[in-house]
Amino acid sequence: MSDAIVEDYLRRITAAAADLPADRRDELVAGIREHIEAARSSGQVPDEASLRDLLDRLGDPEEIVATAREDAGPAVGAASTAVPAPPPVLRYRRPSIAIEVVAVVLLTIGSIIPIIGWLAGVIVAWTSRRWTTGEKLLATLVFPGGPFLALWLVTLVTGTSSTCSSSATIGPDGNSVQGPQVCTTTGASLPPALGIPLLVLLVVAPIAVAILLIVRARRRADAEPPIPVYAGEASGWGGLEIAAVLLLAVGGFVVPFAGPLAGLVCAWISPRWTTVEKTVATLIAGIGLVLPALVLLVVVSHI
Amino acid sequence: MEPGEAQNPLTQLRRGVLEYCVLALLTEDELYGFDLVRRLGENDGLVTSEGTIYPLLSRLRRVGWVTTTWRESDSGPPRRYYAITPSGRHALTGFAAEWSRFRTSVDTVLGSGEHRGEHRE
């Protein structure tokens, strides 16, 4: 209904401007259309009444075109440069929540790289427009370091906390006699009854938060106006982009370093991705580069 | 304000002055059409129909006082941003000086003629 009102208004301007040169007419209609879309996407036109009010304030199509007609005079002699017309819209796509997905992946799975992976997730999460400050705090505080840090810490604590030594002595018959077992506890040792639920909580809670945040981001993204896809830019995904993601995600495990680097190149030469998306890809590439390096380090230190 | 009233005495004057108001707004920052119109609209009596700003912007672009660039917006379609050019700044400086003199003179003359003016209450 509201679209019909807008289209009708724009048609009236187009009709009134029939005597203007085509490029001037197109520019005028495009400007007014952009104005209406900007008002709508900023949420200032929630209903039909406010839309009519917006069109009222824009004014009578005849009056707008009359202004355009008068302008023909003073502009004579000025350099007439062809206005870059907006490329035609092919179709609309639903807004992507790539940033939010990357944030959540880094906060959970990314925390496998101690501190850095999780920290990258926090940074990405706080750039999101779709989460409230409360939700961003939730993402940050459940739990600092992410599930993998929790896992590592708990393993570390339970692994080193209780060292039991028994003083074995050789008895007169040559057999060893087991002395009284002495357990020394360093750090906080948790009984399994407490430790295991805690471990589950530390791992499950971040995943639950992740799912909640993704669901909310998706819902809010769907409430946003669809994003036009212009002629010349095909879909957001082509062979190049799929290759980039694959190389970035798993390339590092197949060919250390070279894999993610190739993915990085693929991502940055993509004509379809925006700079933000490419930056996100670069962050992921960081993980793909650091992780094999860590594995390599561990392997080397064991030899 | 009566819509469509052709005889509004300020219509012509407003149009001529408005383009310099646009230039003045652009000296601080690049703006896109909607934002520009909204800022002009914040001033009482400056804009009667907001839609007439667009032909005006088109003219400013054609005379080379502003340039436009398409930029991605983080909500909705890409936007056409307007930026003032050096010649636009030059034109604005010239206008600002003239306008100051003009305004003072008009006020003086209107003021001196007030006893003759017929004011409708």
Coordinates of all heavy atoms in Angstrom, one line a residue, chain A residues 24 27-28 30-32 34-35 37-39 41-42 44 54 57-59 63-64 67-68 70-71 74-75 78-86 129 225 228 230, chain B residues 3-4 11-12 15 19 32-34 37-38 48-52 54-59 61-64 68 70 72-82:
Chain A
R24 N 17.9 15.2 -16.8 CA 17.4 16.0 -15.7 C 16.2 15.4 -15.0 O 16.2 15.5 -13.7 CB 17.1 17.4 -16.2 CG 18.2 18.2 -16.9 CD 19.0 19.0 -15.9 NE 18.1 19.9 -15.2 CZ 17.8 21.1 -15.7 NH1 18.1 21.5 -16.9 NH2 17.0 21.9 -15.0
E27 N 17.4 12.4 -13.0 CA 18.1 12.8 -11.8 C 17.1 13.3 -10.7 O 17.3 13.0 -9.5 CB 19.1 13.9 -12.1 CG 20.0 14.3 -11.0 CD 20.9 15.5 -11.3 OE1 20.8 16.1 -12.4 OE2 21.7 15.9 -10.5
L28 N 16.2 14.1 -11.1 CA 15.2 14.6 -10.2 C 14.4 13.5 -9.5 O 14.3 13.5 -8.3 CB 14.2 15.6 -10.9 CG 13.1 16.2 -10.1 CD1 13.7 17.1 -9.0 CD2 12.2 17.0 -10.9
A30 N 15.2 10.4 -9.2 CA 16.1 9.6 -8.4 C 16.4 10.2 -7.1 O 16.4 9.6 -6.1 CB 17.4 9.3 -9.2
G31 N 16.6 11.6 -7.1 CA 16.8 12.3 -5.9 C 15.7 12.2 -4.9 O 15.8 11.9 -3.7
I32 N 14.5 12.4 -5.4 CA 13.3 12.3 -4.6 C 13.1 10.9 -4.1 O 12.8 10.7 -2.9 CB 12.0 12.8 -5.4 CG1 12.2 14.2 -5.9 CG2 10.8 12.7 -4.5 CD1 12.0 15.3 -5.0
E34 N 15.4 8.7 -3.6 CA 16.4 8.4 -2.6 C 16.0 9.1 -1.2 O 16.2 8.5 -0.2 CB 17.7 9.0 -3.1 CG 18.9 8.6 -2.3 CD 20.1 9.4 -2.7 OE1 20.3 9.8 -3.8 OE2 20.9 9.7 -1.7
H35 N 15.4 10.3 -1.3 CA 15.0 11.0 -0.1 C 14.0 10.1 0.7 O 14.1 9.9 1.9 CB 14.3 12.3 -0.5 CG 13.8 13.2 0.6 ND1 14.6 14.2 1.1 CD2 12.7 13.1 1.3 CE1 13.9 14.7 2.1 NE2 12.7 14.1 2.2
E37 N 13.4 6.9 0.4 CA 14.0 5.7 0.9 C 14.9 5.9 2.1 O 14.9 5.1 3.0 CB 14.8 5.0 -0.2 CG 13.9 4.2 -1.2 CD 14.7 3.6 -2.4 OE1 15.9 3.7 -2.4 OE2 14.0 3.1 -3.3
A38 N 15.6 7.1 2.1 CA 16.5 7.4 3.3 C 15.6 7.6 4.5 O 15.9 7.1 5.6 CB 17.3 8.6 3.0
A39 N 14.5 8.3 4.3 CA 13.5 8.5 5.4 C 13.0 7.2 5.9 O 12.9 7.0 7.2 CB 12.4 9.4 5.0
S41 N 14.4 4.1 5.6 CA 15.4 3.2 6.2 C 15.9 3.8 7.5 O 16.4 3.0 8.3 CB 16.5 3.0 5.2 OG 17.2 4.2 5.0
S42 N 15.6 5.1 7.8 CA 16.0 5.6 9.1 C 14.9 5.4 10.1 O 14.9 5.9 11.2 CB 16.4 7.0 9.0 OG 15.4 7.8 8.6
Q44 N 11.9 6.7 10.1 CA 11.1 7.8 10.4 C 9.7 7.8 9.7 O 8.9 8.7 9.9 CB 11.8 9.1 9.9 CG 13.1 9.3 10.6 CD 13.7 10.6 10.3 OE1 13.2 11.4 9.6 NE2 15.0 10.8 10.7
L54 N 5.4 12.9 4.9 CA 6.7 13.1 4.3 C 6.5 13.6 2.8 O 7.2 14.5 2.4 CB 7.4 11.7 4.2 CG 8.8 11.7 3.5 CD1 9.8 12.3 4.5 CD2 9.2 10.4 3.1
R57 N 5.4 17.2 2.8 CA 6.5 18.1 3.0 C 7.4 18.3 1.8 O 8.0 19.3 1.6 CB 7.4 17.7 4.3 CG 6.8 18.3 5.6 CD 7.7 17.9 6.7 NE 7.5 16.5 7.1 CZ 8.5 15.6 7.2 NH1 9.7 16.0 7.0 NH2 8.2 14.4 7.6
L58 N 7.5 17.2 1.0 CA 8.3 17.3 -0.2 C 7.6 18.2 -1.2 O 8.3 19.0 -1.9 CB 8.4 15.9 -0.9 CG 9.5 15.0 -0.4 CD1 9.4 13.6 -0.9 CD2 10.9 15.5 -0.8
G59 N 6.3 18.3 -1.1 CA 5.6 19.3 -1.9 C 4.9 18.8 -3.1 O 5.0 17.6 -3.5
E63 N 5.1 21.9 -8.4 CA 6.0 23.0 -7.9 C 7.5 22.5 -8.0 O 8.3 23.4 -8.3 CB 5.6 23.3 -6.4 CG 6.2 24.5 -5.9 CD 5.9 24.8 -4.5 OE1 5.0 24.2 -3.9 OE2 6.6 25.6 -3.8
I64 N 7.7 21.3 -7.6 CA 9.1 20.8 -7.7 C 9.6 20.9 -9.1 O 10.7 21.3 -9.4 CB 9.2 19.3 -7.2 CG1 8.7 19.3 -5.7 CG2 10.6 18.7 -7.3 CD1 8.6 17.9 -5.2
T67 N 10.4 24.3 -10.3 CA 11.8 24.8 -9.8 C 12.9 24.2 -10.8 O 13.8 24.9 -11.1 CB 12.0 24.3 -8.4 OG1 10.9 24.5 -7.6 CG2 13.2 24.9 -7.8
A68 N 12.7 23.0 -11.1 CA 13.7 22.3 -12.0 C 13.7 23.0 -13.4 O 14.8 23.3 -14.0 CB 13.4 20.9 -12.2
E70 N 12.9 26.2 -14.1 CA 13.5 27.6 -14.0 C 15.0 27.5 -13.9 O 15.7 28.4 -14.4 CB 13.0 28.2 -12.7 CG 11.6 28.8 -12.7 CD 11.1 29.1 -11.3 OE1 11.9 29.4 -10.5 OE2 9.9 29.1 -11.2
D71 N 15.5 26.4 -13.4 CA 16.9 26.3 -13.2 C 17.7 26.2 -14.5 O 18.9 26.3 -14.6 CB 17.3 25.1 -12.3 CG 17.0 25.4 -10.9 OD1 16.9 26.6 -10.6 OD2 16.9 24.4 -10.1
P74 N 19.7 29.9 -15.4 CA 21.0 30.3 -14.8 C 22.1 29.3 -15.0 O 23.3 29.7 -15.0 CB 20.7 30.3 -13.2 CG 19.2 30.4 -13.2 CD 18.7 29.7 -14.4
A75 N 21.8 28.0 -15.3 CA 22.8 27.0 -15.4 C 23.5 27.1 -16.8 O 24.5 26.4 -17.0 CB 22.2 25.6 -15.2
A78 N 27.4 26.8 -17.8 CA 28.1 26.0 -16.8 C 28.5 24.7 -17.4 O 27.8 24.2 -18.4 CB 27.3 25.8 -15.6
A79 N 29.5 24.1 -16.9 CA 30.0 22.8 -17.4 C 28.9 21.8 -17.1 O 28.5 21.6 -16.0 CB 31.3 22.4 -16.7
S80 N 28.4 21.2 -18.2 CA 27.3 20.2 -18.0 C 28.0 18.8 -18.0 O 28.4 18.4 -19.0 CB 26.3 20.3 -19.1 OG 25.3 19.3 -19.0
T81 N 28.0 18.3 -16.8 CA 28.6 17.0 -16.7 C 27.5 16.0 -16.5 O 26.5 16.2 -15.8 CB 29.6 16.9 -15.5 OG1 28.9 17.5 -14.4 CG2 30.8 17.6 -15.8
A82 N 27.6 14.9 -17.2 CA 26.5 13.8 -17.1 C 26.5 13.3 -15.6 O 27.6 13.0 -15.1 CB 26.8 12.7 -18.0
V83 N 25.4 13.3 -15.0 CA 25.3 12.8 -13.7 C 25.4 11.3 -13.7 O 24.9 10.6 -14.5 CB 23.9 13.2 -13.0 CG1 22.8 12.6 -13.7 CG2 23.9 12.8 -11.5
P84 N 26.3 10.7 -12.8 CA 26.3 9.3 -12.7 C 25.0 8.7 -12.2 O 24.7 8.9 -11.0 CB 27.5 9.0 -11.7 CG 27.7 10.3 -11.0 CD 27.1 11.4 -11.8
A85 N 24.2 8.2 -13.0 CA 22.9 7.7 -12.6 C 23.1 6.4 -11.8 O 24.1 5.7 -11.9 CB 22.1 7.3 -13.9
P86 N 22.2 6.3 -10.8 CA 22.4 5.1 -10.0 C 22.1 3.8 -10.9 O 21.2 3.8 -11.7 CB 21.2 5.2 -8.9 CG 20.3 6.2 -9.5 CD 21.1 7.1 -10.4
R129 N 25.8 -3.5 14.7 CA 24.7 -2.5 14.9 C 23.4 -3.2 15.4 O 22.5 -2.5 15.8 CB 24.3 -1.8 13.6 CG 25.4 -0.9 13.0 CD 24.9 -0.3 11.7 NE 24.7 -1.4 10.7 CZ 23.6 -1.8 10.2 NH1 22.5 -1.3 10.7 NH2 23.6 -2.8 9.3
P225 N 15.3 -2.8 5.9 CA 14.9 -2.9 4.5 C 15.8 -3.7 3.7 O 17.0 -3.8 4.0 CB 15.0 -1.4 4.0 CG 15.9 -0.8 5.0 CD 15.8 -1.5 6.3
P228 N 19.3 -3.5 -2.1 CA 19.2 -3.7 -3.5 C 20.5 -4.3 -4.1 O 21.6 -3.9 -3.6 CB 19.0 -2.3 -4.1 CG 19.5 -1.4 -3.0 CD 19.3 -2.1 -1.7
Y230 N 22.6 -4.4 -7.4 CA 22.6 -3.6 -8.7 C 23.2 -4.5 -9.8 O 24.0 -5.4 -9.6 CB 23.5 -2.4 -8.5 CG 22.9 -1.4 -7.5 CD1 23.3 -1.4 -6.2 CD2 21.8 -0.6 -7.9 CE1 22.7 -0.6 -5.3 CE2 21.2 0.2 -7.0 CZ 21.6 0.3 -5.7 OH 21.0 1.1 -4.8
Chain B
P3 N -0.4 26.2 -0.1 CA 0.4 25.5 -1.1 C 0.0 25.9 -2.5 O -1.2 26.2 -2.8 CB 0.0 24.0 -0.8 CG -1.3 24.1 -0.1 CD -1.3 25.4 0.6
G4 N 0.9 25.9 -3.4 CA 0.6 26.2 -4.8 C 0.4 27.7 -5.0 O 0.1 28.1 -6.1
T11 N 9.0 33.6 -2.7 CA 9.3 32.4 -3.4 C 10.6 32.5 -4.2 O 11.5 31.7 -4.1 CB 8.1 31.9 -4.3 OG1 7.0 31.7 -3.5 CG2 8.4 30.6 -5.0
Q12 N 10.6 33.5 -5.0 CA 11.8 33.7 -5.9 C 13.1 34.0 -5.1 O 14.1 33.4 -5.3 CB 11.6 34.9 -6.8 CG 10.5 34.7 -7.9 CD 10.9 33.5 -8.8 OE1 12.0 33.3 -9.1 NE2 9.8 32.8 -9.2
R15 N 14.4 30.9 -3.3 CA 15.1 30.0 -4.1 C 16.5 30.4 -4.4 O 17.4 29.6 -4.3 CB 14.3 29.9 -5.5 CG 13.9 28.5 -5.9 CD 12.9 28.6 -7.0 NE 11.6 28.1 -6.6 CZ 10.6 28.2 -7.3 NH1 10.6 28.7 -8.5 NH2 9.4 27.7 -6.9
E19 N 20.2 28.2 -2.2 CA 21.3 27.5 -2.7 C 22.6 27.8 -1.9 O 23.5 27.0 -1.7 CB 21.5 27.6 -4.2 CG 21.5 29.0 -4.8 CD 21.5 29.0 -6.3 OE1 20.5 28.5 -6.9 OE2 22.5 29.4 -6.9
Y32 N 24.2 13.8 2.5 CA 23.3 13.3 1.5 C 22.0 14.0 1.5 O 21.7 14.7 2.5 CB 23.2 11.8 1.6 CG 22.5 11.3 2.8 CD1 21.1 10.9 2.7 CD2 23.2 11.1 4.0 CE1 20.5 10.5 3.9 CE2 22.5 10.6 5.1 CZ 21.2 10.3 5.0 OH 20.5 9.8 6.1
G33 N 21.3 13.9 0.4 CA 20.1 14.7 0.2 C 19.2 14.8 1.4 O 18.8 15.9 1.8
F34 N 18.8 13.7 1.9 CA 17.8 13.7 3.0 C 18.3 14.4 4.2 O 17.5 15.2 4.8 CB 17.5 12.2 3.3 CG 16.5 12.0 4.4 CD1 15.2 12.4 4.2 CD2 16.9 11.6 5.7 CE1 14.2 12.3 5.3 CE2 16.0 11.4 6.7 CZ 14.7 11.8 6.5
V37 N 18.3 18.2 3.5 CA 16.9 18.7 3.5 C 16.4 18.9 4.9 O 15.8 19.9 5.3 CB 16.0 17.8 2.7 CG1 14.5 18.2 2.9 CG2 16.3 17.9 1.2
R38 N 16.7 17.8 5.8 CA 16.3 17.9 7.1 C 16.9 19.0 7.9 O 16.3 19.7 8.7 CB 16.6 16.5 7.8 CG 15.8 16.3 9.0 CD 16.0 14.9 9.5 NE 17.4 14.5 9.4 CZ 17.9 13.3 9.7 NH1 17.0 12.3 9.9 NH2 19.1 13.0 9.6
T48 N 9.9 25.7 1.9 CA 8.4 25.4 1.9 C 8.1 24.1 1.4 O 7.5 23.3 2.1 CB 7.7 26.5 1.1 OG1 8.3 26.6 -0.1 CG2 7.6 27.8 1.9
S49 N 8.6 23.7 0.2 CA 8.5 22.3 -0.2 C 9.9 21.7 -0.3 O 10.7 22.2 -1.1 CB 7.7 22.1 -1.5 OG 7.4 23.3 -2.1
E50 N 10.1 20.7 0.5 CA 11.4 20.1 0.6 C 11.9 19.5 -0.8 O 13.1 19.5 -1.1 CB 11.4 19.0 1.6 CG 11.2 19.5 3.0 CD 11.1 18.4 4.1 OE1 11.0 17.3 3.7 OE2 11.2 18.8 5.3
G51 N 10.9 19.1 -1.6 CA 11.3 18.5 -2.9 C 12.0 19.5 -3.8 O 12.8 19.0 -4.7
T52 N 11.8 20.8 -3.6 CA 12.4 21.7 -4.5 C 13.9 21.8 -4.3 O 14.7 22.5 -5.0 CB 11.8 23.1 -4.4 OG1 11.9 23.5 -3.0 CG2 10.3 23.1 -4.8
Y54 N 15.9 19.4 -4.5 CA 16.6 18.5 -5.4 C 16.9 19.1 -6.7 O 18.1 19.0 -7.2 CB 15.8 17.2 -5.5 CG 16.0 16.4 -4.2 CD1 15.0 16.5 -3.2 CD2 17.1 15.6 -4.0 CE1 15.2 15.8 -2.0 CE2 17.3 15.0 -2.8 CZ 16.4 15.0 -1.8 OH 16.6 14.4 -0.6
P55 N 16.0 19.9 -7.3 CA 16.4 20.6 -8.6 C 17.5 21.6 -8.3 O 18.4 21.8 -9.1 CB 15.1 21.3 -9.0 CG 14.0 20.6 -8.3 CD 14.6 20.0 -7.1
L56 N 17.5 22.1 -7.1 CA 18.5 23.1 -6.7 C 19.9 22.4 -6.6 O 20.9 23.0 -7.0 CB 18.0 23.7 -5.4 CG 18.7 24.9 -4.8 CD1 17.6 25.7 -4.0 CD2 19.8 24.4 -3.8
L57 N 19.9 21.3 -6.0 CA 21.1 20.5 -5.8 C 21.7 20.1 -7.2 O 22.9 20.2 -7.5 CB 20.9 19.2 -5.0 CG 20.8 19.5 -3.5 CD1 20.3 18.2 -2.8 CD2 22.1 19.9 -2.9
S58 N 20.7 19.8 -8.1 CA 21.1 19.4 -9.5 C 21.8 20.6 -10.1 O 22.8 20.5 -10.8 CB 19.9 19.0 -10.2 OG 20.1 19.0 -11.6
R59 N 21.2 21.8 -9.9 CA 21.8 23.0 -10.5 C 23.2 23.3 -10.0 O 24.1 23.6 -10.7 CB 20.9 24.2 -10.3 CG 21.4 25.5 -10.9 CD 20.4 26.6 -10.6 NE 21.1 27.6 -9.8 CZ 22.0 28.5 -10.3 NH1 22.4 28.4 -11.6 NH2 22.6 29.4 -9.6
R61 N 25.3 21.2 -8.8 CA 26.2 20.3 -9.4 C 26.6 20.7 -10.8 O 27.8 20.6 -11.1 CB 25.6 18.9 -9.4 CG 26.5 17.8 -9.8 CD 25.8 16.5 -9.9 NE 24.7 16.5 -10.9 CZ 24.8 16.6 -12.2 NH1 26.0 16.5 -12.7 NH2 23.8 16.6 -13.0
R62 N 25.6 21.1 -11.6 CA 25.9 21.4 -13.0 C 26.8 22.7 -13.1 O 27.6 22.8 -14.0 CB 24.6 21.6 -13.8 CG 24.1 20.2 -14.2 CD 22.8 20.3 -15.0 NE 21.7 20.5 -14.0 CZ 20.9 21.6 -14.1 NH1 21.1 22.5 -15.0 NH2 20.0 21.7 -13.2
V63 N 26.6 23.6 -12.2 CA 27.5 24.8 -12.3 C 28.9 24.5 -11.6 O 29.7 25.4 -11.6 CB 26.9 26.1 -11.6 CG1 25.6 26.5 -12.4 CG2 26.6 25.9 -10.2
G64 N 29.0 23.4 -11.0 CA 30.3 23.0 -10.4 C 30.6 23.5 -9.0 O 31.7 23.5 -8.6
T68 N 29.2 15.3 -6.4 CA 28.4 14.2 -5.8 C 29.2 12.9 -5.9 O 29.9 12.7 -6.9 CB 27.0 14.0 -6.4 OG1 27.2 13.6 -7.8 CG2 26.2 15.3 -6.4
W70 N 28.5 8.6 -5.0 CA 27.6 7.6 -4.4 C 28.4 6.9 -3.4 O 29.5 6.5 -3.5 CB 27.2 6.6 -5.5 CG 26.2 7.2 -6.4 CD1 26.4 7.8 -7.6 CD2 24.8 7.2 -6.2 NE1 25.2 8.2 -8.2 CE2 24.2 7.9 -7.3 CE3 24.0 6.8 -5.1 CZ2 22.9 8.1 -7.4 CZ3 22.6 7.0 -5.2 CH2 22.1 7.7 -6.3
E72 N 28.0 3.8 -0.2 CA 27.2 2.8 0.5 C 26.7 3.3 1.8 O 27.3 4.1 2.4 CB 28.1 1.5 0.8 CG 28.6 0.8 -0.4 CD 27.6 -0.1 -1.0 OE1 26.6 -0.4 -0.3 OE2 27.7 -0.5 -2.2
S73 N 25.4 2.9 2.1 CA 24.9 3.3 3.4 C 24.7 2.0 4.2 O 24.5 0.9 3.7 CB 23.5 4.0 3.2 OG 22.5 3.3 3.9
D74 N 24.9 2.2 5.5 CA 24.8 1.0 6.3 C 23.3 0.6 6.6 O 23.0 -0.5 7.1 CB 25.6 1.0 7.6 CG 25.3 2.3 8.3 OD1 24.3 3.0 8.1 OD2 26.2 2.7 9.1
S75 N 22.4 1.4 6.2 CA 21.0 1.0 6.2 C 20.4 1.5 4.9 O 20.4 2.7 4.6 CB 20.3 1.6 7.4 OG 20.2 3.0 7.3
G76 N 19.9 0.6 4.1 CA 19.2 1.0 2.9 C 20.1 1.2 1.7 O 21.2 0.8 1.7
P77 N 19.5 1.8 0.7 CA 20.2 1.9 -0.6 C 21.4 2.9 -0.5 O 21.5 3.6 0.4 CB 19.2 2.4 -1.6 CG 18.2 3.1 -0.7 CD 18.2 2.4 0.6
P78 N 22.3 2.8 -1.5 CA 23.5 3.8 -1.5 C 22.9 5.2 -1.6 O 21.8 5.4 -2.1 CB 24.2 3.4 -2.8 CG 23.6 2.2 -3.4 CD 22.3 1.9 -2.7
R79 N 23.7 6.1 -1.1 CA 23.3 7.5 -1.1 C 24.2 8.4 -1.9 O 25.4 8.1 -1.9 CB 23.3 8.0 0.4 CG 22.2 7.3 1.2 CD 22.4 7.5 2.6 NE 21.3 7.0 3.4 CZ 21.3 6.8 4.7 NH1 22.3 7.2 5.4 NH2 20.3 6.3 5.3
R80 N 23.6 9.5 -2.4 CA 24.4 10.4 -3.2 C 24.9 11.5 -2.2 O 24.0 12.2 -1.6 CB 23.6 11.0 -4.3 CG 24.4 11.8 -5.3 CD 23.5 12.8 -6.0 NE 22.4 12.1 -6.7 CZ 22.3 12.0 -8.0 NH1 23.3 12.5 -8.7 NH2 21.3 11.5 -8.6
Y81 N 26.1 11.6 -1.9 CA 26.7 12.6 -1.0 C 27.1 13.8 -1.8 O 27.7 13.7 -2.9 CB 27.8 12.0 -0.2 CG 27.4 11.3 1.0 CD1 26.9 10.0 0.9 CD2 27.4 11.9 2.3 CE1 26.4 9.4 2.1 CE2 27.0 11.3 3.4 CZ 26.5 10.0 3.3 OH 26.1 9.3 4.4
Y82 N 26.8 15.0 -1.2 CA 27.2 16.3 -1.8 C 28.3 16.9 -1.1 O 28.3 16.9 0.2 CB 26.0 17.2 -1.8 CG 24.8 16.7 -2.7 CD1 23.9 15.9 -2.1 CD2 24.7 17.1 -4.0 CE1 22.8 15.4 -2.9 CE2 23.7 16.6 -4.8 CZ 22.7 15.7 -4.2 OH 21.7 15.3 -5.0

